[in-house]
Amino acid sequence: MKTSISQVRYHLFIIVLVGLLVMAVVFSISCGEEEQSTPSTPAPSVPVTEEWVADGTISVGEYSNSQIHGNYEIHWKSDEEYIYAGMKARTGGYVSVGFQPGSRMKNADMVFGFIADGEVTIYDMYSTGDFGPHPPDTDLGGTFDIAEFGGKEEGSFTIIEFKRELATGDQYDNPLLSGVNKIIWSYGSSDSLTRQHSNRGYGEIEL
Ligand code: HEM
């Protein structure tokens, strides 16, 4: 049986038409799936702001520097007068930083904070020995110099934010200098000033 050119054209036309129909159906199904997988409520996102607020949220852009030591992180920025810092650790206990230590903990100017029953407590302390003690500056005859602070517990994390003058004039606060400043850090599982840390270490922050 002979096939005419017009019959071939007709068959080609049908094949192309069916192909287009199949593509249209596949496209509409995949679009439908995408729509279904879009969550009805958007996932919570980290706020973006350059403004420093001691609210226990470390927002994107709030700090210009950060350093991560395992489950502990510190974020900071400074201006002519102040350092603004945010400490965050995977703990329900305390988070702490010590500025310009001598050997080990000795002579470190510490900021130590925790949240208990929703209330933020912060200490301006000074370690007098290699392994403490580190009483509040006020017990040593110094002054409390945390200008502003706040924090919160979020899931398994504790976050403490604070602002302090770079040089307070208190002999139990080590001045923070332009350039590299040594730090020690720690966090513990309790809200106690005397219970040893679960983890601790050394770092450097640049201002
Ligand atoms: C809360 C009460 C604290 C106690 C009872 C305590 C006790 C101790 C002890 C016994 C050690 C030697 C054992 C070890 O290396 O883990 C140590 C080391 C250390 N602590 Fe503390 N500490 C306290 C708070 C802090 C704080 C608040 C910081 C930092 C801000 C800190 C930073 C360090 C560092 C960096 C070391 C390591 C020293 C080394 O290299 O050997 N500690 N601490």
Side-chain angles (χ1 to χ4, degrees):
M1 197 173 85
K2 264 191 163 180
T3 315
S4 71
I5 293 181
S6 60
Q7 271 178 316
V8 171
R9 277 197 187 139
Y10 175 73
H11 284 132
L12 274 174
F13 174 73
I14 295 294
I15 288 164
V16 169
L17 195 68
V18 170
L20 285 173
L21 273 172
V22 169
M23 278 166 67
V25 169
V26 168
F27 181 70
S28 74
I29 288 172
S30 69
C31 283
E33 273 170 6
E34 239 170 57
E35 232 164 66
Q36 274 174 13
S37 67
T38 306
S40 50
T41 37
S45 57
V46 183
V48 180
T49 172
E50 282 186 15
E51 192 192 352
W52 183 81
V53 191
D55 57 0
T57 297
I58 293 172
S59 306
V60 173
E62 188 174 9
Y63 296 97
S64 45
N65 305 279
S66 57
Q67 212 170 78
I68 298 176
H69 299 274
N71 286 326
Y72 173 99
E73 52 192 77
I74 182 157
H75 305 256
W76 74 96
K77 69 179 175 187
S78 59
D79 56 24
E80 297 291 293
E81 210 178 338
Y82 293 99
I83 180 166
Y84 307 81
M87 306 180 280
K88 177 175 177 179
R90 191 184 286 274
T91 183
Y94 66 79
V95 290
S96 183
V97 62
F99 297 124
Q100 318 281 36
S103 60
R104 302 187 171 102
M105 293 159 60
K106 192 176 165 100
N107 296 337
D109 161 20
M110 296 172 165
V111 178
F112 183 104
F114 56 80
I115 325 277
D117 301 323
E119 200 181 309
V120 187
T121 301
I122 200 158
Y123 286 93
D124 179 4
M125 320 188 299
Y126 189 83
S127 183
T128 54
D130 275 37
F131 304 119
H134 42 76
D137 294 2
T138 46
D139 289 6
L140 295 166
T143 47
F144 175 83
D145 294 287
I146 313 290
E148 254 183 77
F149 66 93
K152 70 174 170 214
E153 278 178 344
E154 198 172 59
S156 49
F157 292 92
T158 294
I159 301 134
I160 298 281
E161 297 186 282
F162 68 90
K163 164 182 169 182
R164 202 201 82 180
E165 270 183 305
L166 297 171
T168 66
D170 180 4
Q171 62 173 311
Y172 298 108
D173 290 331
N174 297 330
L176 290 162
L177 310 168
S178 176
V180 172
N181 296 265
K182 285 186 178 170
I183 62 159
I184 52 175
W185 56 266
S186 75
Y187 60 90
S189 57
S190 70
D191 294 335
S192 155
L193 269 186
T194 50
R195 284 277 293 279
Q196 198 176 335
H197 20 75
S198 340
N199 205 355
R200 80 287 180 282
Y202 299 86
E204 285 177 346
I205 60 170
E206 196 166 350
L207 302 182

